[in-house]
Amino acid sequence: MAAIAKAPARPARAGRWVRTRDGWWAGLFLGPQVAFLLVFLVLPLGYAVYLSLVQWDGFGPKTFVGLGNFTAQLTDADFLRAVWNTTKLALITVPVGLALAVLIAAGLAGIKGSNFYRVLYFMPVVTSSVAVALIWQVILADDDNGVLNSTLRRFGLDGPDWLGDPGWVIVAIAIVTVWSSLGLNVVIFLAGLQTIPPQIVEAARIDGASSARIFRSITLPMLSPTIFFSTVVAVISSFQAFDQIYVLVNPAHNEGARTIVYQVYKLGFKDFQFGMSSAAALILLVLTLLVTLVQFAAQKRFVHYDS
Amino acid sequence: MRSRPAARQLALHASLALGGLLMLFPFAWMLLTSFKGVHQMLNDPTAWLPSPWRPQNYPDALAKMPFGLAYWNSLYIAALNVALTLLTSAMAAYAFARIRFRGSGVLFVLFLATQMVPVQVTIVPLYLILAKFGWVDSHLALIFPTVANPFAVFLLRQFIRAVPIELEEAARTDGAGRWTIFWRIVLPNIRPGLGALGIIVFLASWNSYFFPLVFLNSSELATVPLLLSQFAGGHSAIDYGLILSASAISVIPTLIAFLIGQKKIINAMAASGLGGR
């Protein structure tokens, strides 16, 4: 976060009264946020851990099953497929989405009047995921009326059944995800590019470096903290993808669109297997933590921090 | 950027414009299709322009679903969400920035750590807890559980630390208490931060789908995204004109608001680095 948020300078000196010990006031000011956090996050998290250890349908008695729910999920074909689908989605959207965003941001940084394009690219970001999914549903439909496949057919090409074919649906979801999140990544990279001193680029140019060389040897390394941060955020958010997929494709009818969050939702709110649902959710949490840890470890090797 | 400026600029503009058209295409298709009738969809699916134009889709969509009510629901829920989040996280941020108390550092780290927990992980237990409160199928379930916002506290703390401490000390000498200082000195001085955060929280609340899907049943309580998904689910897959006119009804006001305040909105979300995600 520090890489992006402009950190205002610390106050020159700590005032005496303003920073005296004042536990009572601290409690008063912190109270509301802490209370909300305890009731709506910490308590449910603890409850999720407890639920993951029992078998319960919401009405009958709770039966303690130990880690049974976890082993059941980890050997369940549906859950494993959901993990695989989620991984595939991240493997497509994160590299493609971020690479496109870096290129577009670098292009925008090189022209005058980039604001117009910035607005164009950003429009999907402020659009609700439900509306986005409905628009794309119409574009990608394969019932002789979908515009994409009808257009392809005019050129003699036979487009896949984007939303119906379990093998293609992840690609369709990836297209929509990249389209709708591109603008945000572009403006974040633009902000990162603005921190690169123009003198360095100018000096390299005078030395005869080509644009491609400047991009590879100056822009990318100096942008790497921002790219790293965006990668972490993008991976985590593709792990948690639900809204768009749920509206775009009916995962109940297409096993290719079942992600981990869909499994959590289905087990909890369709099957009323609260224990299984909580176990699946906690596995998602562990996966999120693992990926973040791996990325922070990789950061040490690949991310270039100036000074 | 110097060398070969004209050709370079032209090539860049051309490729960025092409990309921009691709970004715009789904919106354009939504608008054009929203004026098409079922017959045209069946006979000529790739035609760009509606023929004949069928504006009747709009009154039809409005007649079938209470979109006006959904707008009001989304609006007041988002407004309350913004107000509560801004006030309570500014208070917490003030405590972390300006009050010395035992365990401040540890508590702050714990605060930020809770950000790592995806909301989907706690959704089932949260549902059970809110059911005990009697909040299921009520807007309270959408307003309160998202108020705790460690990211907001972090962001506002940065802004508060930039407020000159001398201002607060001057007010103190004039006899102002903690609360007066917070309300009269700190809050007005972090207005840009509050504005940026307000936009982010508003958009997140306005576009939220998962919570309304899980917690609401009654259609008169539905927010705009929930109503839109119910509307689409309830209609024949081929009546794209009707479905997309409903989408347009749901999207156009937010797009207009975005076009008016685009600079502020884009900068706010870029500065936060997280956007509404």
Side-chain angles (χ1 to χ4, degrees), chain A residues 18-19 33 110 145 154 211, chain B residues 8-9 41 88 98 100:
Chain A
V18 188
R19 286 183 64 83
Q33 276 283 310
N145 306 301
R154 279 194 171 180
S211 295
Chain B
R8 229 184 110 77
Q9 289 269 317
M41 291 306 314
T88 60
R98 289 290 203 247
R100 228 178 332 159

Side-chain angles (χ1 to χ4, degrees), chain B residues 30-37 40 50 52-55 57-58 241:
Chain B
M30 170 186 76
L31 272 183
L32 289 170
T33 307
S34 73
F35 289 102
K36 291 177 190 166
Q40 192 184 9
W53 287 75
R54 195 174 183 283
N57 284 333
Y58 283 85

Side-chain angles (χ1 to χ4, degrees), chain A residues 47 50-51 54-64 271-275, chain B residues 128 132:
Chain A
Y47 198 13
Y50 165 71
L51 282 175
V54 301
Q55 200 170 48
W56 190 43
D57 63 1
F59 291 101
K62 301 186 180 84
T63 326
F64 183 78
D271 304 346
F272 302 107
Q273 296 193 41
F274 294 144
Chain B
L128 298 171
K132 279 245 156 62

Side-chain angles (χ1 to χ4, degrees), chain A residues 126-195:
Chain A
V126 296
T127 310
S128 87
S129 50
V130 175
V132 163
L134 287 180
I135 299 169
W136 279 95
Q137 204 174 44
V138 173
I139 293 173
L140 295 171
D142 187 42
D143 52 3
D144 293 338
N145 306 301
V147 57
L148 182 59
N149 280 358
S150 305
T151 310
L152 287 176
R153 225 166 279 140
R154 279 194 171 180
F155 294 100
L157 297 166
D158 210 12
D161 181 1
W162 299 98
L163 303 176
D165 183 338
W168 277 98
V169 70
I170 286 290
V171 179
I173 294 167
I175 293 172
V176 179
T177 310
V178 168
W179 178 81
S180 59
S181 59
L182 193 59
L184 187 61
N185 290 320
V186 167
V187 298
I188 288 172
F189 288 142
L190 258 179
L193 285 173
Q194 270 149 20
T195 63

